[in-house]
Amino acid sequence: MTEEPNKRANKPFLFLGFFFIIWWLIPNSIKFFTKSTFQEFQAPVWEISSRVEDIVNYWGHIKDSKQTLIEKGKKVSRINSDIEIQKIRADELNNEINRLKKIQDSLLNLNKIINLDPKIQFEPEIARVSVRKMSSWWQSFTIRKGNDHLIEKGNGVLYKGGILGRVSTVNNKSASVELLTNPNFRIVAKFSNDSRPVTYQGNGIGLGGKLQGIVSDVPHDIIPKSGIPLKLISSSLGGNFPNGIPIGKVYKLETEENGLFKKGKVVLDSKINEILEITVLKTKRND
Amino acid sequence: MIKKDIINAAILLIIYFILTCLITLINSSLSTIGVYFYLPGLFFLSATLFFDTTKSFIICLVTGLFLDTALETPFGFHTIILPLFQVIGNKWLKYSGNKNIYRHAFFQFLSNILISILLLLSIIIFYDKIQISISKFSLDVILSALIFLPVCLWFQSLLTNIFFEYSKSKKN
C-alpha cells in the first residue's frame, strides 16, 4: 500500500534523472544552436538598453548648467586649435603617406616574386558596447554590430588604450567579445624595444575588478628596472593584431618552473571596465 | 483552464526574463567598481508555488537556458541546476507545509549560496580552461547574499500580486 505513494513521490526525481541523461546525450551542435538562438533572442534587449542609455546621456547633457557649457566650450576651442595645427601638417603627412604607399607597393611586388603569403591587412569597424559581462568566471562585452557589418569570429578588438580581446561569437546584429583577461585568450606578444616573441595569456579578474594577465616564455636577459615597468605590446606573428599595439605593463618577472624562461604578471588598464566604444579589426587580404 | 495556465506560465517566464535582463544590466553598470551580483536562486521557487510540477519544470528549464546565455556560465549549468532545485523546492514545500513568505525567501537564499558553490566547483572540476579568482568570486557571493533577501521578498510580493487571483481560483 505504501509503495504507490513512494513511487509517485520519486517520479519528479526519476524525470530529472532522465532529463540529465537526455541533456548529456544531446549532440553539441544542437546545444550550440540553442545557445545561438537564445543569444539572438537577447540581443535586441541589450541593444535597446544601450540606446536608451545613450538617449539618457544626451538628455542629461542638454540640461547642463551654463558653467558646464562654458567649460565644454573651452575644451572644444582647445581641440579646434589642435585641429588647425594638424591641418598645417597635412601636406607633410600626405607626402609621407605617398612615400609609404610606394614602399608598400614595392614590398607587395617582392612578395609576389618570392611567393610569400600576402600580409594580413586590417579594416577598422567602430562599434558601441551594449553590455559588459565581467563575472569572475568569464569576461566579455556584447557589441552592437555583427554579421550585418561583416564581423567574423576571431577578429581582433581594440580600445583607445590598446588590445581589448577578440570576437568570440557573432550574431546577426550583435557580437560577443571575449576579453584579454580570459585564459583562452593567448597571443604572441613582445616587449617594446625587444623583437623576441613572448606569450601573453589572460589570468581572470581579481578583487575590485583588477584585470590580470600573465606573460611567459620571456628570455632571461629581459629585466624590468625598479619603478619602470616593461611595456608589453602585440606582435604581428599572432595574425589577429597589427604590430606594436599596447597590451599592459609588467613590473616583475620570475623564473619559470622549467628554468628556461621567465614569467610575470601583466597589469592591464583598469579603464577596460568603463569602455563604451571599441574597434573591431576585420581582416582584409591583399592578393 | 489549461489555456489560462499556459498564459500565466508564459507571463511568469517573461517576468523571469525581464528580471534576468535587469540584473545583467545592473552588473554591466557595476563592472566599473568590480562588483557582480549572481542571483539564480530567485528563479525556481515562485514557479513551484504557482504551477504544477511539469509546468514549473519547463519554466525552470527555459529560464536556465536563458541564464546560461545571459551570464556566460558553462552552457547547461543552470539548465540542470534550476530544474533540480525546483524539484527539491517542490518536495520541501509539500512536506514541510511552509506557507511563510520569509521561510520561502530564506530557502531561496540558502539555495542561491549553494548554487554559487556548485558553480565554483563545476568550473574548477570540469572547465579547467576557465580561470576563476576565488577571492573575487567569494566577495561577489557575499555581496549577492546581502542584496538577495530584500530583492527576493520584493520579487515574491510582486509575483503574489500578479498571480493572486490565479492562485486563488486554482485553490477553489
Side-chain angles (χ1 to χ4, degrees):
Chain A
M1 278 296 275
T2 52
E3 268 182 22
E4 193 58 32
N6 268 348
K7 263 187 187 175
R8 209 176 291 165
N10 290 332
K11 213 177 159 186
F13 287 103
L14 281 173
F15 186 64
L16 195 67
F18 183 66
F19 169 69
F20 288 165
I21 294 164
I22 294 275
W23 180 261
W24 189 53
L25 291 174
I26 288 174
N28 278 341
S29 55
I30 294 176
K31 284 181 189 165
F32 182 75
F33 174 76
T34 316
K35 195 177 179 183
S36 314
T37 312
F38 272 84
Q39 276 172 341
E40 287 285 9
F41 180 74
Q42 285 172 6
V45 179
W46 310 139
E47 176 152 357
I48 290 165
S49 69
S50 167
R51 287 189 189 276
V52 167
E53 202 181 328
D54 287 350
I55 292 168
V56 169
N57 279 340
Y58 172 75
W59 284 107
H61 286 305
I62 275 184
K63 299 271 180 194
D64 277 351
S65 67
K66 273 184 187 171
Q67 189 60 38
T68 317
L69 289 173
I70 291 165
E71 286 297 320
K72 282 183 179 170
K74 278 181 189 170
K75 273 186 190 170
V76 171
S77 63
R78 267 180 228 138
I79 292 166
N80 280 337
S81 59
D82 188 48
I83 289 169
E84 289 305 318
I85 295 165
Q86 298 301 331
K87 273 181 187 169
I88 296 164
R89 284 191 66 212
D91 287 339
E92 193 187 318
L93 292 171
N94 278 330
N95 288 336
E96 183 67 11
I97 288 168
N98 288 334
R99 189 181 71 85
L100 291 170
K101 272 185 178 170
K102 275 178 191 167
I103 294 171
Q104 193 184 27
D105 288 342
S106 62
L107 276 173
L108 280 171
N109 280 334
L110 286 170
N111 281 345
K112 270 183 190 170
I113 292 165
I114 58 170
N115 283 332
L116 260 183
D117 280 343
K119 196 183 172 188
I120 298 168
Q121 287 201 324
F122 299 100
E123 198 184 326
E125 182 73 56
I126 292 168
R128 203 128 171 102
V129 174
S130 53
V131 186
R132 290 182 289 265
K133 295 174 183 173
M134 304 292 279
S135 63
S136 42
W137 56 88
W138 193 256
Q139 298 85 45
S140 70
F141 284 1
T142 305
I143 55 170
R144 291 198 323 215
K145 283 181 182 172
N147 270 333
D148 56 340
H149 285 84
L150 304 174
I151 288 170
E152 289 170 2
K153 190 181 172 181
N155 284 163
V157 180
L158 307 179
Y159 75 109
K160 64 177 179 182
I163 289 179
L164 180 70
R166 70 162 81 89
V167 175
S168 57
T169 45
V170 187
N171 301 316
N172 198 23
K173 284 177 187 278
S174 70
S176 184
V177 177
E178 148 189 42
L179 298 198
L180 75 167
T181 49
N182 284 318
N184 320 20
F185 187 87
R186 201 182 158 98
I187 54 166
V188 182
K190 62 180 185 179
F191 288 103
S192 57
N193 302 326
D194 193 281
S195 59
R196 287 168 292 178
V198 294
T199 308
Y200 168 83
Q201 191 175 4
N203 191 35
I205 183 167
L207 271 179
K210 207 173 154 191
L211 308 167
Q212 298 163 341
I214 284 177
V215 63
S216 54
D217 305 330
V218 182
H220 272 281
D221 59 326
I222 296 177
I223 304 158
K225 286 172 194 163
S226 59
I228 307 162
L230 293 168
K231 283 179 190 164
L232 191 69
I233 55 172
S234 65
S235 160
S236 56
L237 290 171
N240 281 333
F241 297 97
N243 197 26
I245 308 286
I247 298 173
K249 288 172 184 168
V250 179
Y251 288 87
K252 202 180 160 191
L253 287 167
E254 55 192 43
T255 311
E256 281 182 24
E257 289 80 19
N258 57 21
L260 296 172
F261 294 101
K262 290 203 285 186
K263 65 174 182 179
K265 274 189 181 171
V266 182
V267 178
L268 304 171
D269 191 352
S270 60
K271 280 181 185 148
I272 289 177
N273 285 330
E274 301 161 15
I275 295 168
L276 292 173
E277 232 165 35
I278 51 108
T279 304
V280 181
L281 297 174
K282 298 193 285 186
T283 43
K284 191 172 85 176
R285 282 191 182 272
N286 257 354
D287 292 323
Chain B
M1 194 61 193
I2 292 168
K3 198 180 168 187
K4 204 178 175 188
D5 272 358
I6 291 169
I7 291 169
N8 281 306
I11 291 170
L12 183 63
L13 208 52
I14 291 166
I15 293 169
Y16 276 176
F17 287 176
I18 292 169
L19 189 64
T20 310
C21 291
L22 279 175
I23 294 170
T24 310
L25 292 172
I26 289 167
N27 280 334
S28 173
S29 305
L30 290 176
S31 66
T32 48
I33 52 167
V35 173
Y36 191 88
F37 292 128
Y38 179 59
L39 309 165
L42 290 171
F43 302 101
F44 66 93
L45 200 70
S46 336
T48 316
L49 283 169
F50 299 112
F51 299 98
D52 61 38
T53 316
T54 317
K55 279 188 201 76
S56 48
F57 188 90
I58 294 166
I59 291 170
C60 288
L61 194 146
V62 180
T63 311
L65 288 167
F66 196 83
L67 275 178
D68 279 333
T69 321
L71 307 183
E72 303 265 1
T73 43
F75 197 61
F77 176 77
H78 291 104
T79 318
I80 288 167
I81 284 293
L82 284 192
L84 174 72
F85 275 81
Q86 181 271 323
V87 172
I88 295 167
N90 195 15
K91 292 283 161 211
W92 179 75
L93 280 174
K94 209 178 252 178
Y95 293 113
S96 61
N98 280 315
K99 283 178 183 168
N100 187 325
I101 190 168
Y102 293 102
R103 280 191 178 189
H104 291 170
F106 195 68
F107 179 77
Q108 290 178 88
F109 169 79
L110 291 177
S111 305
N112 195 65
I113 294 172
L114 196 59
I115 293 172
S116 308
I117 294 165
L118 286 173
L119 175 69
L120 178 69
L121 290 176
S122 68
I123 286 173
I124 290 171
I125 297 165
F126 301 111
Y127 298 89
D128 55 340
K129 274 186 182 173
I130 300 176
Q131 187 82 28
I132 192 160
S133 155
I134 308 278
S135 53
K136 155 93 171 119
F137 186 82
S138 311
L139 182 74
D140 286 344
V141 170
I142 293 166
L143 292 173
S144 305
L146 285 176
I147 68 146
F148 188 88
L149 281 174
V151 174
C152 183
L153 287 170
W154 162 78
F155 191 52
Q156 285 286 97
S157 61
L158 174 87
L159 291 178
T160 313
N161 287 336
I162 293 169
F163 294 106
F164 180 69
E165 287 299 321
Y166 170 70
S167 58
K168 216 168 75 175
S169 67
K170 254 189 116 181
K171 274 173 196 165
N172 294 334

